[in-house]
Amino acid sequence: MRYWMKLPFVLIFFVVAAHGEPLQKTFSDWQITCNNQNSCVARNFPGDKGLVMTISRQAGADDRPLLRIDYGNRFSGELNGAALKDNLLLDGQRLRLDLKHWDVQTHHLSTSHAISINEFLLQVMDTNTIQLLYRPRSSVSLHGLKAALLLMDETQGRVNSTSAWIKPGSRTDVPAPAAQPTLSAPRNVPQALTQEETTGLIDFGTWRVNTDRCSLDPQRREVSVAPLSDKKALLLVSCEMGAYNVIDLAFEVTRTQPYVARGLTLTLPFVPPHHSDKKLELINAQYDASKSELLTYSKGRGLGDCGTATRWQYNGREFVLAEYAEEGTCDAWHSSDDWPTLWTSETRETSAADAPAVGD
């Protein structure tokens, strides 16, 4: 149970309403993602051309802006060619950069210097293309950049303020970042399953648990078990299988016979982009009993450059979303470790006074 549920109703409403509304949208050749703290990141696509510009900013006065131009990534590996700083064109003309406050590497340029970012954006905002001199195919389309940055300003409440990138004004104050949810985790690691418990639960999950919705033959299903508490276990049963994704069913089951199983569902605190509801399927699920964490990882295609990755915290009674990342653009740029985050949280260990008993 979330720790704030013990607070008065008015405060509960405030905490729930305080988080930002996650989003991921595209404008022409740009994608923007903002999370529940109104921290945003935007980049051009497709990335498989090799050259990508990324700009990110946190909400509030301590905005920590970052602008990057990268040639190549972990999918492409190190690419051949001369240094970026001397070989970028802006609409066919040499791009002039004052790199005094930039981190300059052969194929990577970045700066977190606010004035340098502002100067760069003023230079490129109403142009069309940044292009690599010696590889014209490698280019950054600037169509959609202004719309993406305007949405970033609107999301963070910067429009008509001195910190706005698109519609600046005289206002000096900006809203603070939205509240970050705090989750509770059981303070004690449950006892490991014995061999007898493991064997019995796997047999139960293979042949006797209610899996009427499963398309896989029982003999082809994979069953995994892990301790949730000293009295209950998590049972994962593979239900449907594709080329690179496996959909599981999850059950909370008593560790001893007679087995009592309860189906588990994952409910998000928001409706993700391009989804119709808050329910999330367990795809390629893994559970770490030492951290009471459940992970899901859904690939958009076999390369793993797009899809959805989530992390859920078991708090002694239910799984609560801890982190949600999604890359909606399949363009060989981001691996799952770098997918944009739409939801973040902070996990704290429950005290002895308010922690659910591990054996519950």
Side-chain angles (χ1 to χ4, degrees):
M1 182 176 292
R2 298 175 177 84
Y3 79 103
W4 56 74
M5 294 299 286
K6 296 183 179 180
L7 300 177
F9 175 80
V10 174
L11 185 55
I12 294 174
F13 177 81
F14 174 80
V15 172
V16 173
H19 74 72
E21 190 62 33
L23 64 88
Q24 187 169 92
K25 294 184 177 182
T26 59
F27 298 95
S28 297
D29 300 320
W30 279 76
Q31 173 183 280
I32 178 174
T33 305
C34 297
N35 67 18
N36 58 312
Q37 287 194 285
N38 294 331
S39 178
C40 301
V41 59
R43 72 170 178 98
N44 71 288
F45 64 88
D48 53 14
K49 293 182 178 180
L51 192 68
V52 167
M53 174 176 145
T54 305
I55 185 165
S56 62
R57 196 179 202 182
Q58 296 185 12
D62 184 17
D63 55 348
R64 303 179 188 180
L66 178 64
L67 173 67
R68 298 181 56 91
I69 301 176
D70 297 291
Y71 180 48
N73 61 7
R74 68 176 63 186
F75 286 113
S76 65
E78 189 65 28
L79 299 175
N80 296 325
L84 284 186
K85 66 183 182 67
D86 301 317
N87 290 277
L88 291 176
L89 303 177
L90 181 62
D91 286 351
Q93 302 297 317
R94 184 80 67 175
L95 176 60
R96 305 294 180 182
L97 295 174
D98 181 358
L99 297 173
K100 181 169 57 176
H101 298 289
W102 289 66
D103 177 25
V104 179
Q105 301 178 36
T106 303
H107 291 158
H108 307 280
L109 304 174
S110 65
T111 181
S112 58
H113 188 254
I115 296 176
S116 297
I117 293 175
N118 290 341
E119 291 175 345
F120 178 86
L121 292 177
L122 285 173
Q123 187 177 2
V124 307
M125 190 64 69
D126 294 315
T127 58
N128 296 304
T129 307
I130 296 175
Q131 193 175 34
L132 198 53
L133 176 63
Y134 52 81
R135 193 186 181 201
R137 178 181 176 275
S138 296
S139 61
V140 173
S141 169
L142 299 171
H143 299 156
L145 170 62
K146 180 178 288 188
L149 294 186
L150 177 58
L151 180 57
M152 190 181 297
D153 281 347
E154 291 173 345
T155 299
Q156 297 179 350
R158 299 186 186 278
V159 175
N160 296 323
S161 76
T162 56
S163 66
W165 278 332
I166 302 304
K167 293 184 177 179
S170 59
R171 183 168 55 87
T172 57
D173 61 309
V174 293
Q180 185 179 41
T182 303
L183 309 182
S184 299
R187 63 180 314 186
N188 298 320
V189 177
Q191 295 178 1
L193 295 171
T194 65
Q195 184 62 49
E196 182 180 357
E197 287 176 323
T198 301
T199 301
L201 287 166
I202 289 179
D203 178 73
F204 176 74
T206 303
W207 301 105
R208 288 180 286 166
V209 75
N210 182 9
T211 54
D212 293 341
R213 293 175 292 163
C214 289
S215 62
L216 280 178
D217 183 273
Q219 294 185 354
R220 295 186 58 203
R221 295 174 192 166
E222 294 185 3
V223 179
S224 62
V225 292
L228 276 179
S229 69
D230 290 347
K231 294 183 179 180
K232 296 177 182 178
L234 175 66
L235 185 69
L236 295 175
V237 182
S238 60
C239 193
E240 297 180 26
M241 186 176 297
Y244 36 81
N245 287 324
V246 176
I247 300 176
D248 296 306
L249 292 182
F251 300 88
E252 178 190 85
V253 187
T254 53
R255 290 174 60 158
T256 57
Q257 299 189 41
Y259 297 119
V260 179
R262 178 176 69 92
L264 298 177
T265 58
L266 299 180
T267 302
L268 297 162
F270 67 100
V271 178
H274 315 301
H275 292 250
S276 59
D277 57 41
K278 297 180 179 181
K279 299 299 182 184
L280 184 78
E281 288 185 311
L282 281 84
I283 299 179
N284 301 324
Q286 295 182 335
Y287 183 67
D288 185 345
S290 66
K291 298 179 180 178
S292 299
E293 287 183 349
L294 177 67
L295 306 177
T296 72
Y297 173 50
S298 172
K299 289 184 178 182
R301 62 180 184 174
L303 183 62
D305 59 337
C306 55
T308 302
T310 70
R311 179 170 56 89
W312 299 76
Q313 182 68 55
Y314 185 67
N315 61 12
R317 295 188 179 92
E318 62 180 343
F319 284 100
V320 183
L321 182 66
E323 186 173 9
Y324 182 104
E326 180 171 339
E327 177 54 82
T329 301
C330 303
D331 63 347
W333 187 253
H334 278 152
S335 61
S336 59
D337 291 342
D338 298 318
W339 289 349
T341 301
L342 282 82
W343 190 271
T344 64
S345 66
E346 179 183 3
T347 300
R348 70 177 178 90
E349 188 179 273
T350 53
S351 65
D354 60 7
V358 173
D360 285 354

